[in-house]
Amino acid sequence: MKIRASHILVKTEEEAKQLLEEIKNGADFAALAEEHSLCPSKRDGGDLRFFGKGMMVRPFEEAAFALQKGEVSEPVQTQFGWHLIKLTDIQD
């Protein structure tokens, strides 16, 4: 199985929580990614394309694969910073 996810990468948990609140209040995930993310994927609204297990760092992967399609994660910490992850598609 592969999933397609987008993410927003920021430096602090506080910033991630603030962005999550904006998303919960109707803000566009891709627009926030373009504006705030530290990852080059921000040019594509945070889209990471399809990936399988073993292709991402463990905390990110565990959070991403636990999501339902359309769902956004709570802030997830990796060595790169704090992520908000949105699951956008699933491929069997």
Side-chain angles (χ1 to χ4, degrees):
M1 176 175 80
K2 288 185 175 183
I3 61 171
R4 185 172 190 167
S6 297
H7 79 136
I8 301 171
L9 173 64
V10 293
K11 287 184 179 176
T12 67
E13 183 179 18
E14 183 179 317
E15 189 176 2
K17 286 180 177 180
Q18 181 181 349
L19 291 171
L20 182 57
E21 277 305 307
E22 290 184 39
I23 292 163
K24 286 180 179 178
N25 290 325
D28 182 66
F29 189 96
L32 290 177
E34 288 174 15
E35 186 178 343
H36 297 281
S37 185
L38 302 173
C39 181
S41 69
K42 74 183 194 174
R43 290 187 302 272
D44 297 319
D47 187 9
L48 297 170
R49 311 277 187 258
F50 281 97
F51 58 90
K53 290 193 174 181
M55 296 177 69
M56 300 290 179
V57 294
R58 184 172 299 274
F60 185 99
E61 177 181 292
E62 288 174 355
F65 275 88
L67 294 170
Q68 299 295 315
K69 189 173 176 179
E71 190 176 13
V72 177
S73 72
E74 292 295 316
V76 176
Q77 186 178 25
T78 70
Q79 68 262 42
F80 303 107
W82 289 87
H83 307 261
L84 295 175
I85 307 164
K86 181 177 182 178
L87 182 63
T88 56
D89 205 357
I90 300 169
Q91 241 180 19
D92 281 333

